[in-house]
Amino acid sequence: MDDWINSLMDTLGAPGAGIAVALENLFPPIPSEVILPLAGFAAAGGRMDLLAALLWTTAGSVVGALALYGVGALLGRERTVAIAARLPLVKVSDIERTEAWFVRHGSKAVFFGRMVPIFRSLISVPAGVERMPLPAFLVLTALGSAIWNTTFVLAGYALGDNWERVTVYVSVYAKVVLLVAGASVLAFVAARLLRSGRGARRGNR
């Protein structure tokens, strides 16, 4: 994976980093925590301009997110989930958790979701299914992605040859955030079930 990303950036420079990030949005198993620090490392070594790396990776994030938004809007929930179930390394449970998170938080989920592993790619799908206004989706996606991308590109730039240390920190961060997000979704579902149960009991009286 590292060799392929390096080759793409060596060939195309900062646009290559942008293409890699766009693909990461479309295929979540491609990790942004590898692409972005590598882009920063490449900028530190003079292989690309740092500002160009930041701009192109953010543009790639928006393009990839827009493609998934389009998939959700065109296919709807059921067909999108059915297709995802056939894709390797993509878990339907991740899509369902992301969907529940979007239903609960709405537009905030699009912004903050860009800074949550797994959710950052998949959050575009329920946004498309629900036909979230496109201008708002693009602005929130660009802002959230810019924060995430800048953090990791600058980390790779600062760490230089030790850029791989970023992945260790991200692994810990990802586990904590996913646990919190999972607990939040479970609490939301439980609250809805309790409300519907109370409503049914009142209706029977």
Side-chain angles (χ1 to χ4, degrees):
M1 183 68 72
D2 296 2
D3 291 340
W4 175 79
I5 297 168
N6 264 319
S7 176
L8 190 62
M9 290 192 292
D10 283 339
T11 303
L12 300 177
I19 291 171
V21 170
L23 291 174
E24 181 264 336
N25 274 264
L26 295 171
F27 305 101
I30 300 175
S32 65
E33 58 266 29
V34 172
I35 300 168
L36 297 171
L38 260 177
F41 174 55
R47 291 155 56 198
M48 68 176 73
D49 179 72
L50 178 59
L51 180 59
L54 295 172
L55 293 175
W56 276 100
T57 53
T58 300
S61 295
V62 173
V63 169
L66 185 59
L68 284 179
Y69 177 97
V71 168
L74 289 172
L75 299 182
R77 182 188 184 279
E78 299 304 324
R79 281 188 288 176
T80 300
V81 171
I83 292 170
R86 299 192 188 108
L87 297 176
L89 303 178
V90 176
K91 297 178 180 178
V92 172
S93 59
D94 288 335
I95 296 176
E96 291 172 341
R97 281 193 299 171
T98 307
E99 181 184 33
W101 204 45
F102 178 81
V103 169
R104 182 178 186 185
H105 297 290
S107 59
K108 289 186 292 185
V110 174
F111 175 74
F112 290 106
R114 300 300 166 191
M115 292 168 262
V116 179
I118 299 178
F119 285 71
R120 66 184 309 274
S121 298
L122 298 178
I123 196 65
S124 303
V125 176
V129 170
E130 297 297 326
R131 300 297 179 96
M132 178 181 178
L134 192 56
F137 174 79
L138 292 174
V139 169
L140 292 170
T141 295
L143 290 174
S145 298
I147 293 171
W148 176 269
N149 294 355
T150 298
T151 299
F152 287 97
V153 170
L154 291 181
Y157 186 88
L159 289 171
D161 289 333
N162 296 315
W163 68 268
E164 290 182 335
R165 286 168 54 190
V166 176
T167 61
V168 177
Y169 301 132
V170 172
S171 177
V172 175
Y173 165 78
K175 289 174 183 175
V176 172
V177 170
L178 289 175
L179 281 172
V180 172
S184 175
V185 169
L186 287 173
F188 173 67
V189 172
R192 281 209 159 184
L193 289 173
L194 284 171
R195 280 197 214 110
S196 62
R198 287 172 187 164
R201 284 196 297 272
R202 284 173 189 160
N204 292 330
R205 288 176 183 174

